[in-house]
Amino acid sequence: MSVRTLLDTAFAQSAAPAARDGGFSVTDLGSGAWKEFLLGAGAGPGRSGSWDEQLAVLWKRVVAECGAAQRLADENDIDWELAPHESKAVLALCGPDDDVVDVAAAALATQREQWELERRFARIHRRLPADLSGLVPADVGALRSGLLDEQDFRTSTYAVQQHRAVRWLRALTGTAAYLAAAHMVPAPLALDVVTTAPLDEPTRDALRLPAPWSLITHDAVPLRAAQADDDDLAALVEAGVCVGPEPVILGGLLAAQPDGRLDTTSGFLLISSLDAAGKRRWVLQPAAYGDHAGGRVLYGYAAQLAFARWTPPPALPDPGPRPTSRSTLGRIATSEAGGAGGFHGVRVLDFTPPPEEPPEERPAPTGSRGPLVFGTWRRAHWKPGVRIGIRDSNGRLVGPVYKDGAVEGLTFTRDRRFFPRARVRPDLPLAPTTPVYRIPNPGAPSR
């Protein structure tokens, strides 16, 4: 399925019952609402867009990093650096004998062996859940291999112009996804990571990614949660975020500059929806960094990659003399290390759920205007300057962190800390939902 066909299906879905009017419930692609979600205000209406320059910069880089550029030079005497990347999509080049060289096929060919191996492993491991809930690290292979199909690896004549942009995007994202270091967010944190509050400028400037390309995945989170304001998000949390036929976010693909800084040329969101046959599919869709919904999600991913702790992938058992045989893959798939993502090199976000404790009743502070009546939800956020206690080799604090005797640099340091969403005053009930009634239009025809 092409990216455009998938988006036609995904964004033509009717709004979910809990979605508010004016939210991200697109029924007309001509409105450009999905572009505003991904690229920000002013992206323009309709399906066509001017995102070519940004993608061309990344395409130039991907072809070089995957080894296809060197292969073009060795086999066809083509210098990839001389191709006009910043002005158009370079999908094919003319070789020395006027032979057309399919650059997209050449780039994807460098990843075909790994794609076939992950696809075989996915079939042995398990079938993905229909609603993509309860994902485990070993499911990363099924998600990544599902970005491509057999037809993507075949050479193309590019005779049909409208197919070129789709092929270019699939070749770019499919190749980059296999160059990327894989990461997975545990299910309890998926909603918090997607809906993280906007980062302040110092935090954005401090972002350093762990790899040139990073693929981050998690359980499905509805797109409407990503664009919800605080009140809407609180209502979704209370109602229980339920994934249905509407579009969802499964993760993203981020690039880093050579020095590790976040490359904001473009990011990609892993978006999924049901196709016409009711089967869930997914694509990596270009998204701009910024203060719009899609851009905030990308920055939230970057902050997790930069500041959070990630457990390294576990070591796999000895594969033996036939590392790619079905019996070996089956043995790995059923092993603890295989299920934990060792086969795909998946790093998992280090997360320990807080203990469940009964809420404590708190008296109103002295001098307040009266006791609070309702509690609220606080959105997940990153807080800079949090005191972190310094520990010795045995893991014990070397001194106080906040009390008398606390000395910065000796007993504590300061760092950014991620705070998941939380109930403020959990001992109090949440405010009831305010009903909103439509004023009937006397001139409207009756139904």
Side-chain angles (χ1 to χ4, degrees), residues 305-321:
L305 291 168
F307 307 128
R309 292 180 297 180
W310 297 83
T311 58
L316 292 174
D318 183 9

Side-chain angles (χ1 to χ4, degrees), residues 19-26 227:
R20 62 189 171 98
D21 290 341
F24 188 65
S25 55
V26 180
Q227 61 90 52

Side-chain angles (χ1 to χ4, degrees), residues 353-364:
E356 294 186 4
E357 298 178 353
E360 297 180 3
E361 185 175 352
R362 297 168 54 186

Side-chain angles (χ1 to χ4, degrees), residues 113-145:
E113 183 178 354
Q114 186 64 23
W115 172 76
E116 290 178 342
L117 193 58
E118 280 197 339
R119 192 167 63 156
R120 289 178 58 202
F121 183 91
R123 288 197 294 262
I124 295 171
H125 176 240
R126 70 165 183 167
R127 184 186 297 271
L128 287 178
D131 61 353
L132 298 179
S133 63
L135 297 179
V136 298
D139 291 326
V140 168
L143 291 176
R144 184 159 51 185
S145 61

Side-chain angles (χ1 to χ4, degrees), residues 1-3 6 108 115 118-119 128 140-153 166-167 169-180 215-217 250-253 268-272 280-285:
M1 172 178 281
S2 70
V3 176
L6 178 58
L108 286 169
W115 172 76
E118 280 197 339
R119 192 167 63 156
L128 287 178
V140 168
L143 291 176
R144 184 159 51 185
S145 61
L147 295 170
L148 299 168
D149 55 40
E150 185 68 34
Q151 187 174 352
D152 291 320
F153 294 92
V166 173
R167 177 166 175 78
L169 183 59
R170 289 177 68 86
L172 167 59
T173 57
T175 305
Y178 275 99
L179 296 176
L215 178 68
I216 188 166
T217 59
L250 295 173
L253 177 66
F268 302 89
L269 291 179
L270 188 58
I271 295 178
S272 172
R280 187 163 287 282
R281 299 182 183 274
W282 49 89
V283 293
L284 279 164
Q285 184 68 11

Side-chain angles (χ1 to χ4, degrees), residues 262-345:
L262 179 66
D263 187 341
T264 57
T265 303
S266 175
F268 302 89
L269 291 179
L270 188 58
I271 295 178
S272 172
S273 186
L274 302 181
D275 62 14
K279 183 177 181 181
R280 187 163 287 282
R281 299 182 183 274
W282 49 89
V283 293
L284 279 164
Q285 184 68 11
Y289 288 88
D291 293 324
H292 56 285
R296 291 194 299 270
V297 176
L298 287 174
Y299 272 123
Y301 290 152
Q304 295 293 337
L305 291 168
F307 307 128
R309 292 180 297 180
W310 297 83
T311 58
L316 292 174
D318 183 9
R322 302 173 60 200
T324 61
S325 68
R326 181 176 180 82
S327 60
T328 300
L329 294 180
R331 181 158 47 87
I332 293 175
T334 56
S335 68
E336 182 178 354
F343 186 77
H344 310 286

Side-chain angles (χ1 to χ4, degrees), residues 191-193 195-197 233 378-382 418-422:
L191 180 63
D192 287 352
V193 170
T195 60
T196 296
L233 183 59
R378 183 189 63 196
R379 184 183 288 260
H381 63 283
W382 284 91
F418 182 70
F419 291 89
R421 72 180 186 279

